[in-house]
Amino acid sequence: MDRIRIRGGAPLNGLIPISGAKNAALPLMIASLLTEDTLELGNVPRLADISSLLRIMSNFGLDHSIAGRRPGQSSETGQTIRLTAKSIIDTCAPYELVSTMRASFWVIAPLVARFGHAKVSMPGGCAIGTRPVDLLIMALARLGAAIEIEGGYVIATAPKGLRGGEIDFPKVTVGGTHVALMAATLAQGTTVIRNAAREPEVVDLAECLVKMGARITGAGTSEIVIEGVSSLNGASHDVMPDRIETGTYAMAVAMAGGDLVLENTRPDYLQAALDVLAQAGAEISPTHSGIRVRRNGNGIQAVDVTTDPFPGFPTDLQAQFMALMTRASGTSRIRETIFENRFMHVQELARLGAHIRLDGDCAYVEGVPGLKGAPVMATDLRASVSLVIAGLVAEGETTINRVYHLDRGFEALEAKLARCGAEIERLRG
């Protein structure tokens, strides 16, 4: 397996282009199953999860093509993919495919909405928590789908089509909101989603669905209303910039010091995280096309954070922020409210010399004068990049194993950091 080796101590200076958001691209790709026409998606990141979903959807009979490089595109600035689900031959997603990526379970929504039948494997457990699909199933049932669970599969049927209904989520769920949105577009009548997720990725999906002919109002608020239509058409849509990648590089320069311009992104997508970084001692300023983040000379200050659904501090930036706090002056408290097991990176950060104490859903991070390089192992996507951030300042050499986790969610990470001065390289095999 590939590894990443980092020699700590170099500041980061320069420009990093932010890729399209994986968490937006995946539901957008799945939405292509709602129409027989072609959906063209631009700014799609080159990631392992994107390739995995293409394989899963091709199993249904979906055709896809990756366009040649467009003006301004590079290996770090996304690609254009055309998806055509005209001739779907199968509406079953088997375990061996769904188990490779949890988000692929969402295909159940467009399949049952358009074809009246879907059989999708339960995705199983996850290293960072159970992440059950019960709310996703509940949303489909509220739209009239008959649900059976048999042999580890969810079988959803609606031979006469879905019908509009009221979906009241007991807690905010991004996946549940995605599923409800897609299913409701082709349901007969009006659907109201209450306590809907407000994440920018939900808004991006809604905007694409509207381009496809859906009638949606309220995306980005806690109540979304969908007027069902009989069919959707093709469209062209660019994936939104990745706010988690933006926050990750912002925390990297806050950790290592230097001056970075993060291009092709939007500060309003992660304002809560940027506010916390400013409190920690980084200088944040908007530019005409993104964000400038600087930390030169001043130290890192301890800041307490609690993860929350958007517009709160993202759980997907918790591990990166914890890495930053290992070098802060004082002790910070980090409370994780979204996923119950999302502190698996603590033991690996401790191998680098971090002082972290866990107490239930809280981690108390006591800043230390320095970290020391060591071999460490990635446990999940966000945990792996927290080790990269720590390695940027650790004395000596840090080797991160199992970096296939990184390849699931960060496009050209080592190339982007190396160009800005980091001593980082990928070791093949």
Side-chain angles (χ1 to χ4, degrees):
M1 294 184 184
D2 289 1
R3 295 163 292 151
I4 285 181
R5 181 168 63 196
I6 306 170
R7 294 178 182 87
L12 300 176
N13 293 286
L15 182 149
I16 290 181
I18 298 301
S19 300
K22 181 196 80 156
N23 289 345
L26 297 178
L28 288 167
M29 291 167 64
I30 290 170
S32 69
L33 295 170
L34 287 164
T35 176
E36 64 175 27
D37 296 338
T38 297
L39 177 64
E40 182 179 272
L41 296 176
N43 199 35
V44 180
R46 295 169 173 83
L47 300 171
D49 274 7
I50 299 296
S51 299
S52 295
L53 184 58
L54 284 174
R55 285 194 298 272
I56 291 167
M57 293 170 63
S58 295
N59 193 61
F60 302 139
L62 174 131
D63 292 323
H64 74 273
S65 63
I66 298 176
R69 188 174 295 177
R70 303 295 182 85
Q73 287 185 348
S74 71
S75 61
E76 300 176 12
T77 56
Q79 57 192 333
T80 298
I81 300 179
R82 298 187 183 97
L83 305 110
T84 308
K86 185 174 184 177
S87 303
I88 296 301
I89 58 174
D90 193 0
T91 59
C92 176
Y95 174 74
E96 58 266 25
L97 295 177
V98 178
S99 62
T100 64
M101 192 178 63
R102 291 187 57 85
S104 61
F105 182 82
W106 300 345
V107 300
I108 195 170
L111 291 177
V112 72
R114 183 175 162 202
F115 301 103
H117 182 274
K119 181 180 180 181
V120 180
S121 170
M122 300 276 280
C126 180
I128 61 169
T130 56
R131 297 208 273 186
V133 296
D134 56 335
L135 296 181
L136 286 66
I137 295 170
M138 178 272 284
L140 293 175
R142 294 286 171 85
L143 298 179
I147 305 291
E148 294 180 48
I149 298 177
E150 182 180 298
Y153 282 79
V154 178
I155 302 169
T157 55
K160 295 183 179 179
L162 297 175
R163 58 181 182 273
E166 297 193 357
I167 301 171
D168 294 278
F169 285 120
K171 63 178 181 180
V172 174
T173 163
V174 174
T177 305
H178 283 321
V179 163
L181 259 180
M182 286 188 277
T185 58
L186 294 180
Q188 302 167 38
T190 302
T191 297
V192 180
I193 306 171
R194 296 189 180 91
N195 201 24
R198 299 161 59 190
E199 271 71 2
E201 294 81 3
V202 170
V203 177
D204 205 34
L205 174 61
E207 289 177 350
C208 180
L209 290 170
V210 168
K211 291 179 183 178
M212 296 167 68
R215 298 173 182 169
I216 300 169
T217 57
T221 74
S222 58
E223 184 171 297
I224 304 175
V225 178
I226 306 102
E227 300 286 345
V229 296
S230 59
S231 64
L232 295 177
N233 49 258
S236 180
H237 182 80
D238 284 342
V239 178
M240 63 170 272
D242 195 324
R243 62 194 175 100
I244 303 304
E245 186 190 28
T246 303
T248 297
Y249 288 125
M251 290 179 190
V253 69
M255 180 66 134
D259 188 339
L260 275 187
V261 173
L262 307 177
E263 195 173 47
N264 305 325
T265 191
R266 287 175 47 176
D268 57 312
Y269 285 163
L270 69 161
Q271 196 59 55
L274 295 178
D275 290 345
V276 167
L277 272 180
Q279 294 175 48
E283 296 178 52
I284 314 285
S285 55
T287 69
H288 70 282
S289 62
I291 304 167
R292 183 180 183 187
V293 185
R294 290 175 288 178
R295 189 181 69 80
N296 294 307
N298 54 322
I300 301 168
Q301 303 303 310
V303 184
D304 296 344
V305 300
T306 297
T307 62
D308 274 313
F310 188 85
F313 189 94
T315 180
D316 280 354
L317 287 174
Q318 178 256 105
Q320 298 92 309
F321 185 71
M322 185 180 292
L324 176 64
M325 289 295 97
T326 63
R327 291 293 312 280
S329 174
T331 299
S332 61
R333 187 193 76 161
I334 300 173
R335 182 169 176 246
E336 173 59 59
T337 68
I338 310 297
F339 295 126
E340 65 270 27
N341 295 334
R342 205 166 208 176
F343 284 141
M344 296 181 69
H345 44 283
V346 168
Q347 292 179 338
E348 299 304 306
L349 288 171
R351 288 177 53 81
L352 302 175
H355 290 177
I356 305 170
R357 176 175 62 87
L358 296 180
D359 183 8
D361 63 358
C362 292
Y364 295 87
V365 187
E366 179 187 348
V368 295
L371 301 174
K372 292 193 174 181
V376 290
M377 186 172 293
T379 55
D380 63 64
L381 170 56
R382 308 308 175 186
S384 59
V385 82
S386 75
L387 302 175
V388 172
I389 290 173
L392 291 173
V393 299
E395 178 185 341
E397 189 173 285
T398 298
T399 304
I400 303 167
N401 296 285
R402 293 172 66 181
V403 298
Y404 60 84
H405 287 295
L406 274 176
D407 295 335
R408 288 184 47 230
F410 289 93
E411 185 175 31
L413 176 129
E414 62 267 26
K416 290 181 179 182
L417 286 173
R419 197 176 56 247
C420 294
E423 293 190 47
I424 181 172
E425 60 179 334
R426 179 176 291 247
L427 307 176
R428 301 287 181 181

